[in-house]
Amino acid sequence: MLYTLSVHASNRYAYAFRDRGFGGYDRTPCPSCGREIATPLPRTAPRAYEVEGGAKYPDFLEFTGVPVGDFVCSARVIDLLREAEISGLGEIESVPVFRVKGAKTEPVSEPVYQLASIIGHVELDLPAMKLKKKNLCPACGQFTWSRERLYTIPAALDMDTWSGHDLCRVGDFPAMTVCSERVAEVIRQEKITGVEIKPVADMFRAY
């Protein structure tokens, strides 16, 4: 069984709102359909996050900036996942975090945060969700969904497309992360903060 990993939003917790080194996007219209193509520009500086919000620093650090979906967690979490031999973790790098206080910033020394890439993959079960892709552009690949209010639709996964990893990104929604029971057990037993485990059906309701 797979679960949705959702940010535990709380005004007690700090959250990251900016990646200092993100270079923005080059935006050009698709010559075929006219829709905007956003291509990330080269980074302007090494990755570093600026945080605000609550005074407590959770194990999972919510990132509200662009591009969305960064999987940022404390070194403690990475160590626990490795000890449990959790699959699906790719490259991992330590990232500095700075607390914004007015016009000043101060480095956060504890906890040490790390950014992990997720290499597991699974697709949505669109027929089960009664969801279709419309107006697909053969040139840029962009499309529109047949239903606009996705948060009203119970999500479902096509388990035939599951890579078998404990941590996975969801096709068409790469900011979404799902996990196995093994990951959920680590989160519960170790009381990892800043994240909630929810049914897959609540994937879009969780955001």
Side-chain angles (χ1 to χ4, degrees):
M1 178 180 290
L2 297 181
Y3 301 90
T4 298
L5 283 185
S6 173
V7 170
H8 179 199
S10 170
N11 57 14
R12 297 178 300 154
Y13 292 146
Y15 63 90
F17 67 94
R18 181 182 297 129
D19 171 5
R20 286 184 174 180
F22 180 62
Y25 291 102
D26 174 51
R27 301 179 185 275
T28 56
C30 172
S32 179
C33 70
R35 282 175 281 197
E36 184 178 80
I37 301 174
T39 305
L41 293 169
R43 299 187 63 82
T44 59
R47 192 183 304 273
Y49 294 105
E50 293 184 353
V51 303
E52 59 185 7
K56 292 187 176 182
Y57 291 93
D59 287 308
F60 273 84
L61 186 66
E62 180 184 9
F63 179 55
T64 62
V66 291
V68 298
D70 284 7
F71 191 86
V72 187
C73 54
S74 67
R76 179 178 88 96
V77 171
I78 297 297
D79 289 343
L80 289 169
L81 295 178
R82 283 173 166 166
E83 288 172 9
E85 299 183 345
I86 296 300
S87 63
L89 288 172
E91 294 183 0
I92 297 170
E93 61 176 296
S94 294
V95 286
V97 173
F98 297 86
R99 164 70 72 169
V100 175
K101 294 185 176 181
K104 298 181 179 180
T105 59
E106 298 177 356
V108 176
S109 57
E110 291 290 339
V112 173
Y113 283 106
Q114 296 183 322
L115 171 69
S117 62
I118 305 299
I119 61 174
H121 181 85
V122 67
E123 296 282 345
L124 292 172
D125 188 341
L126 299 183
M129 297 171 62
K130 296 183 172 61
L131 191 61
K132 296 180 180 180
K133 296 178 180 180
K134 302 192 308 179
N135 305 315
L136 177 64
C137 175
C140 69
Q142 294 187 76
F143 59 88
T144 55
W145 290 111
S146 58
R147 299 171 66 179
E148 295 182 358
R149 297 171 180 165
L150 295 183
Y151 60 87
T152 66
I153 306 172
L157 299 176
D158 181 354
M159 297 306 291
D160 289 338
T161 67
W162 179 35
S163 62
H165 293 91
D166 293 306
L167 285 165
C168 296
R169 294 295 200 182
V170 179
D172 292 321
F173 293 92
M176 301 290 192
T177 304
V178 295
C179 73
S180 68
E181 177 63 42
R182 297 178 68 237
V183 176
E185 184 176 352
V186 172
I187 291 172
R188 296 187 193 107
Q189 288 185 349
E190 302 297 335
K191 298 181 179 179
I192 292 172
T193 59
V195 66
E196 292 182 304
I197 304 161
K198 296 187 176 183
V200 165
D202 292 340
M203 181 180 298
F204 298 114
R205 299 169 188 162
Y207 287 83

